[in-house]
Amino acid sequence: MNVERHTALDLMRAFSRLEFALKQIPEFVNGAVGETPETQWSAFYVHVRRHIENNLSRKSKDLLLGTGPNDPPPMRMQVNAQRRIEFVDAPLGNGPEGDRLMDAARRVRNNLVHGGKEHARQQRYPGNDDELARAAIDVMYLAMASHQEVSQLAYYD
């Protein structure tokens, strides 16, 4: 993804604060004793989906869900036959809108961290990556704000 430096930093900050907070709450942690913990995102979705659905702008929803002018939703990575990473169109599923918005926001974060570092002229839709990242930031902050314990842990400063 090709996003502005400050947007990338804001997305990483929001995502890392949210994931840090989730890993402090046993309900949102997967993993056996002694193993590396994994975030139980789907358990968190139940608590935040309605808040995200009700408070995220229509423009951000359209961008993340692929229902706006720049279909499809954020792509996902896969390994191709040559053992190289490629991005492919991938539907977000049929679950509640809030869950799909969280999935899309997480996909944006993953694409930013693990994805291509294309030059701005290589973008399929100029400026769209930055708009996707900003929409994902909004989702992360709405998710944090909608769960009291997560909010307290994420906003420690």
Side-chain angles (χ1 to χ4, degrees):
M1 293 189 76
N2 194 317
V3 301
E4 298 289 332
R5 180 179 300 168
H6 67 277
T7 305
L9 292 173
D10 288 349
L11 177 58
M12 296 312 301
R13 183 173 190 261
F15 187 90
S16 65
R17 282 182 171 244
L18 175 57
E19 191 162 37
F20 165 80
L22 293 176
K23 286 184 177 177
Q24 305 307 305
I25 303 170
E27 176 184 0
F28 305 132
V29 176
N30 269 346
V33 174
E35 291 184 356
T36 302
E38 292 189 20
T39 306
Q40 178 61 25
W41 288 99
S42 58
F44 182 59
Y45 287 7
V46 173
H47 297 276
V48 301
R49 66 172 59 120
R50 293 283 176 241
H51 187 75
I52 293 167
E53 291 170 6
N54 294 334
N55 292 286
L56 191 65
S57 73
R58 178 82 270 162
K59 179 182 177 185
S60 292
K61 287 179 181 182
D62 287 344
L63 280 166
L64 290 168
L65 298 176
T67 54
N70 294 332
D71 289 336
M75 300 174 127
R76 73 172 175 85
M77 291 189 318
Q78 73 179 23
V79 177
N80 66 19
Q82 292 75 38
R83 308 283 305 152
R84 294 195 177 270
I85 301 289
E86 65 183 1
F87 287 88
V88 297
D89 293 337
L92 289 167
N94 296 319
E97 182 182 61
D99 294 11
R100 290 181 291 126
L101 289 164
M102 281 293 297
D103 283 343
R106 289 176 52 216
R107 190 181 287 180
V108 169
R109 178 263 177 204
N110 291 342
N111 290 350
L112 177 64
V113 172
H114 303 294
K117 310 299 186 245
E118 297 88 0
H119 189 278
R121 291 186 302 252
Q122 293 173 297
Q123 293 186 54
R124 182 164 55 170
Y125 303 104
N128 190 57
D129 286 350
D130 205 66
E131 289 181 23
L132 277 170
R134 286 187 210 154
I137 292 166
D138 290 345
V139 169
M140 292 294 133
Y141 280 111
L142 285 170
M144 282 185 261
S146 66
H147 188 283
Q148 184 177 1
E149 189 174 4
V150 169
S151 180
Q152 289 171 343
L153 289 164
Y155 294 110
Y156 57 85
D157 60 348

